[in-house]
Amino acid sequence: QVQLVESGGGLVQAGGSLRLSCTASGHSFGSYFMGWFRQAPGKEREFVTGIRWGGGDTFYSDSVKGRFTISRDFAKNTLYLQMNSLKPDDTAVYYCARRRPGPLYYSVSDSRGYDYWGQGTQVTVSS
């Protein structure tokens, strides 16, 4: 049973920083592609960033490029999201997710291509 557990969310003032973590149990990230998504109230879930676990290739949405950094720790089997220069628009529930293995029709930013999701962690940025 694959379980992804996010942590690190909280309340922060605009301009502040947070680091989110995503730890996997029952699963090794191996060669999977892992992503971070977020969902704000009344909005659709959107892609934030992703990383190819083995090669380290990274992808970022335009809205977070230059402010957020995705990384991974092989030994701890943990995925991270460092968020700097946070804005009120970054307020959302943040989810980590594992992309389905093998070639896919969906792009890395399409949530339909992901098969396992964490429960989410709330990030609130006050102005």
Side-chain angles (χ1 to χ4, degrees):
Q1 180 78 16
V2 176
Q3 282 192 315
L4 302 175
V5 179
E6 302 97 336
S7 61
L11 173 64
V12 64
Q13 288 189 330
S17 298
L18 281 175
R19 189 177 79 157
L20 307 183
S21 300
C22 172
T23 301
S25 61
H27 155 73
S28 174
F29 287 129
S31 60
Y32 288 100
F33 186 97
M34 298 296 299
W36 285 99
F37 288 75
R38 66 186 181 186
Q39 187 166 19
K43 295 187 177 180
E44 291 189 356
R45 190 168 297 189
E46 66 168 345
F47 175 79
V48 176
T49 179
I51 186 168
R52 206 174 308 280
W53 194 261
D57 312 50
T58 56
F59 302 80
Y60 293 92
S61 67
D62 288 342
S63 62
V64 307
K65 199 173 296 183
R67 299 187 299 122
F68 290 11
T69 303
I70 189 171
S71 63
R72 79 279 197 219
D73 186 314
F74 291 97
K76 296 181 179 179
N77 207 35
T78 300
L79 181 72
Y80 299 103
L81 178 62
Q82 178 66 44
M83 306 185 295
N84 298 328
S85 303
L86 283 161
K87 306 174 182 179
D89 283 349
D90 295 318
T91 295
V93 177
Y94 283 71
Y95 301 89
C96 67
R98 191 192 79 171
R99 194 161 185 251
R100 301 176 197 277
L104 295 178
Y105 173 79
Y106 305 113
S107 70
V108 298
S109 61
D110 192 327
S111 64
R112 293 173 294 181
Y114 293 76
D115 54 1
Y116 287 100
W117 295 79
Q119 84 289 347
T121 185
Q122 176 71 47
V123 172
T124 304
V125 184
S126 63
S127 57

